[in-house]
Amino acid sequence: MAIMLKPMSEEIYKKFTSNIIIDYAEDKVEAGTWLEEEALEKSKEDFERSLPQGRHTKQHFLLSIVNEELTIGWLWYFFDDSKLQKEAFIYEFYIYEEQRGKGYGIESLTALDKLVREKGIEKISLHVFAHNERAIHLYKKMNYEPTAISMSKKL
């Protein structure tokens, strides 16, 4: 059975929320964007600002990645159909650690391509932290190309 993308249940949303806030804070610290002592609070603020109505926030699509009946990850993307450029933006794409290395990343992104094409979306963009080499490799394999590069130097 192929990977399916299904609307996120409240139960999965709770797990998603707790994980994403921590993971995002850790990524921002590792990237040198935030200090460790402020990261968790800033991450919570960003998350609440992005999804003020939780999983029911308009123009935000929170999906469970399902293999047969087992949820193996999640995908969150944004799409504003009032804009001229029909572009989706992936905020979060996550395959559970124990499910990685099985080809589910490629299958999930392929399923997303199909789903958004059906909505008339012509482009998908995302942000990936430079230290996330595994994700960068996957995105390159799926024909994502860099559009901007931020750089910094520690003194």
Side-chain angles (χ1 to χ4, degrees):
M1 181 175 196
I3 290 293
M4 293 189 312
L5 302 176
K6 295 183 173 182
M8 197 179 281
S9 69
E10 189 61 34
E11 177 186 340
I12 297 294
Y13 180 74
K14 287 177 184 172
K15 183 177 180 180
F16 163 79
T17 301
S18 61
N19 283 343
I20 192 173
I21 290 170
I22 293 167
D23 287 350
Y24 188 60
E26 290 172 353
D27 281 337
K28 292 292 251 182
V29 169
E30 188 169 341
T33 310
W34 293 343
L35 298 175
E36 191 170 346
E37 48 273 13
E38 67 182 352
L40 199 55
E41 189 58 37
K42 283 188 165 194
S43 183
K44 285 179 191 174
E45 289 169 4
D46 274 6
F47 186 78
E48 289 168 4
R49 190 173 27 259
S50 297
L51 291 173
Q53 285 82 43
R55 66 188 181 106
H56 303 291
T57 302
K58 288 182 181 3
Q59 302 173 330
H60 290 263
F61 301 86
L62 295 134
L63 306 168
S64 290
I65 302 168
V66 179
N67 181 28
E68 297 182 13
E69 292 302 314
L70 180 66
T71 298
I72 61 165
W74 47 65
L75 200 151
W76 166 21
Y77 76 93
F78 168 83
F79 173 58
D80 181 351
D81 63 357
S82 71
K83 302 280 184 187
L84 277 178
Q85 185 168 7
K86 301 304 178 197
E87 177 179 9
F89 186 87
I90 298 173
Y91 275 95
E92 175 72 3
F93 172 51
Y94 185 82
I95 302 291
Y96 298 160
E97 192 72 40
E98 66 275 9
Q99 299 296 331
R100 293 181 186 169
K102 299 178 182 180
Y104 295 143
I106 290 172
E107 285 186 55
S108 300
L109 291 173
T110 300
L112 178 65
D113 289 351
K114 183 178 186 286
L115 176 73
V116 300
R117 270 194 200 106
E118 291 169 0
K119 292 182 177 192
I121 296 171
E122 301 165 347
K123 179 181 178 183
I124 303 173
S125 296
L126 55 82
H127 169 271
V128 61
F129 287 100
H131 61 262
N132 192 344
E133 293 177 15
R134 185 177 195 156
I136 292 168
H137 177 74
L138 171 64
Y139 297 135
K140 283 182 178 180
K141 192 183 269 189
M142 296 298 296
N143 298 318
Y144 285 78
E145 297 176 358
T147 56
I149 298 174
S150 296
M151 300 175 79
S152 58
K153 172 178 148 180
K154 287 190 177 186
L155 301 175

